[in-house]
């Protein structure tokens, strides 16, 4: 059952579909409700025939009184639980812009009020003269990547489930948190895309001819890159060594399996003809940094890494090696600093969910 989309609302192929792997948290039974008018009539008739006399007083002891918030969260239906998780997680992030005109705009994603990700919009001259050429070269891979590209319009989670075991029964809380991170990314990336309003490749050249429907929103940063690199960062913490702090910069340089999968998903969007490489670089910076901040908060650490990406003059392609080079170079387009965070704001039930998810890995 499709329950929530990522940038796969970018086309008509499986809108809101990426949570379909083994029905992750989808249809969790009929939950005793819904159904046809015939069912309602039958239930009413059955009650009339079985209840007998009732004086209106309780006939069973409540199991709600005195339970913990974690027990209450566990008992929530899928939709309400997602709403509670989204409020707790998404409220940590804010988006703002500073620009006198759209061509020279700078956007910031804040975490607990402190600047976490700063992005500088690419110049159109760079996109037109340097970035479109990468789409022309990447188009040669279209037939090799077509099946991946089509599935990834609405489902990126299954590609990470091919790297590390995921099951709606055995890794329930890892899945719940991964899906919450996908929703977080959509919550942040859409206003960021709107603020930068970078045109899609098809609007600049008739010859692009994408092999999937071009999404109906701006190109920069790539939502697929944002979400896949955020998922890779979260899962790197949940599924790898828990004895030391998460260090995405090191894992990116090592090109670990989760990040290789994220890289391929992002590059496929250029192959498909709907994104420039600079979109993926910006999205990767955004996704890694947002997820790292959340992981560090849930790990009860008091600082996290803030990053900036100056896309104004970035002319290059996108892959893990190039991203790592930009981070390592003091004059590169990606810079890193540390900011303070306050883990005391994490609700007790979310701390417990995080602890459960860590044990599932």
């Amino acid at each position: 059952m499709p329950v929530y989309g990522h940038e796969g609302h970018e086309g008509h192929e499986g809108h809101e579909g990426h949570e379909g792997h083994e029905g992750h948290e989808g249809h969790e039974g009929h939950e005793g409700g819904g159904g046809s008018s015939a069912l309602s009539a039958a239930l009413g008739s059955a009650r009339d025939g079985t209840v007998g006399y009732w004086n209106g007083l309780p006939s069973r002891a409540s199991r709600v009184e005195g339970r913990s918030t974690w027990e209450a969260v566990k008992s929530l239906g899928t939709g309400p639980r997602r709403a509670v998780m989204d409020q707790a997680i998404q409220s940590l992030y804010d988006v703002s812009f500073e620009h006198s005109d759209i061509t020279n705009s700078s956007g910031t994603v804040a975490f607990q009020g402190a600047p976490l990700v700063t992005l500088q919009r690419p110049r159109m001259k760079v996109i037109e003269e340097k970035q479109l050429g990468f789409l022309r070269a990447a188009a040669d891979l279209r037939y090799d990547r077509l099946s991946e590209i089509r599935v990834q319009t609405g489902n990126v989670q299954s590609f990470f489930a091919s790297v590390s075991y995921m099951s709606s029964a055995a890794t329930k809380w890892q899945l719940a948190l991964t899906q919450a991170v996908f929703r977080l990314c959509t919550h942040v990336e859409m206003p960021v895309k709107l603020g930068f309003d970078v045109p899609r490749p098809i609007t600049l050249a008739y010859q692009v001819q994408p092999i999937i429907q071009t999404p109906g929103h701006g190109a920069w940063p790539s939502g697929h890159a944002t979400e896949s690199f955020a998922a890779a960062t979260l899962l790197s913490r949940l599924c790898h060594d828990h004895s030391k702090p998460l260090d995405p910069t090191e894992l990116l340089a090592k090109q670990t399996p989760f990040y290789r999968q994220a890289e391929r998903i992002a590059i496929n969007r250029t192959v498909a003809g709907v994104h420039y490489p600079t979109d993926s670089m910006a999205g990767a910076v955004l996704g890694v940094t947002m997820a790292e901040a959340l992981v560090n908060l849930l790990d009860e650490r008091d600082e996290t890494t803030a990053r900036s990406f100056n896309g104004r003059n970035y002319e290059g392609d996108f892959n893990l090696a190039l991203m790592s080079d930009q981070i390592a170079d003091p004059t590169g387009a990606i810079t890193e600093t540390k900011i303070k965070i306050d883990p005391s704001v994490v609700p007790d039930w979310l701390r417990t969910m995080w602890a459960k998810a860590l044990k599932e890995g």
Side-chain angles (χ1 to χ4, degrees):
M1 174 181 175
V3 288
Y4 196 85
H6 73 306
E7 209 190 331
H9 3 71
E10 296 199 2
H12 47 265
E13 306 175 20
H15 307 327
E16 301 188 273
H18 68 28
E19 297 186 6
H21 177 72
E22 275 196 63
H24 303 324
E25 278 204 281
H27 42 278
E28 297 183 354
H30 71 293
E31 297 186 2
S36 66
S37 58
L39 174 60
S40 297
L43 291 173
S45 175
R47 179 186 183 278
D48 291 343
T50 60
V51 168
Y53 172 74
W54 177 42
N55 62 6
L57 296 176
S59 58
R60 59 189 297 188
S62 171
R63 298 178 182 178
V64 174
E65 290 295 313
R67 68 178 175 175
S68 68
T69 53
W70 169 242
E71 291 297 327
V73 167
K74 283 201 304 180
S75 72
L76 289 174
T78 304
R81 184 172 66 244
R82 289 183 181 136
V84 169
M85 293 178 68
D86 288 349
Q87 190 282 327
I89 293 172
Q90 293 176 13
S91 63
L92 298 166
Y93 300 80
D94 292 296
V95 176
S96 62
F97 281 86
E98 293 182 7
H99 51 69
S100 55
D101 65 272
I102 195 68
T103 60
N104 192 33
S105 58
S106 175
T108 300
V109 177
F111 186 77
Q112 294 188 321
L116 179 70
V117 184
T118 302
L119 300 173
Q120 186 77 27
R121 186 184 193 270
R123 292 184 299 133
M124 284 306 302
K125 181 181 177 76
V126 170
I127 289 177
E128 292 169 350
E129 296 181 2
K130 303 296 182 180
Q131 291 286 298
L132 276 174
F134 291 115
L135 276 81
R136 182 187 61 189
D140 292 341
L141 295 172
R142 287 182 172 185
Y143 290 107
D144 292 336
R145 304 282 186 94
L146 180 58
S147 62
E148 296 174 39
I149 289 167
R150 286 180 60 87
V151 171
Q152 287 164 0
T153 58
N155 179 352
V156 300
Q157 182 168 283
S158 293
F159 292 84
F160 292 104
S162 72
V163 177
S164 181
Y165 176 57
M166 287 186 176
S167 161
S168 55
T171 63
K172 178 177 181 177
W173 303 116
Q174 286 190 4
L175 286 170
L177 286 161
T178 302
Q179 291 163 12
V181 164
F182 284 135
R183 297 192 298 273
L184 166 66
C185 289
T186 301
H187 173 76
V188 171
E189 75 200 24
M190 288 304 170
V192 172
K193 285 172 174 285
L194 176 63
F196 288 122
D197 196 27
V198 173
R200 292 278 178 168
I202 195 174
T203 68
L204 300 181
Y206 297 113
Q207 295 85 351
V208 171
Q209 297 188 13
I211 57 173
I212 56 175
Q213 176 66 42
T214 295
H217 49 262
W220 202 86
S222 163
H224 272 68
T226 302
E227 295 158 28
S228 59
F229 275 85
T233 302
L234 176 72
L235 292 170
S236 292
R237 176 67 178 96
L238 290 174
C239 302
H240 286 179
D241 184 3
H242 300 164
S243 65
K244 59 182 181 179
L246 175 69
D247 186 354
T249 301
E250 177 185 359
L251 299 178
L252 287 165
K254 290 181 177 179
Q255 301 192 20
T256 57
F258 283 126
Y259 283 120
R260 288 203 302 273
Q261 193 69 268
E263 173 195 53
R264 190 174 176 98
I265 291 167
I267 290 173
N268 279 348
R269 303 296 285 176
T270 298
V271 174
V274 296
H275 273 297
Y276 319 100
T278 182
D279 303 346
S280 293
M281 190 70 81
V285 170
L286 180 60
V288 167
T289 311
M290 287 173 55
E292 183 182 9
L294 180 61
V295 166
N296 284 329
L297 193 76
L298 295 174
D299 276 345
E300 301 187 53
R301 303 193 183 280
D302 63 2
E303 69 175 17
T304 193
T305 302
R307 294 182 179 87
S308 66
F309 173 55
N310 187 347
R312 186 164 176 75
N313 297 313
Y314 183 74
E315 300 179 352
D317 203 350
F318 170 77
N319 57 47
L320 292 178
L322 290 171
M323 184 176 180
S324 293
D325 288 346
Q326 291 298 315
I327 294 172
D329 183 354
T331 63
I334 301 172
T335 58
E336 296 184 332
T337 58
K338 295 291 184 181
I339 61 171
K340 291 294 183 181
I341 57 176
D342 179 11
S344 69
V345 304
V346 178
D348 289 343
W349 61 264
L350 187 52
R351 293 180 194 276
T352 303
M353 184 184 293
W354 181 245
K356 299 285 186 184
L358 288 171
K359 291 180 180 178
E360 288 174 344

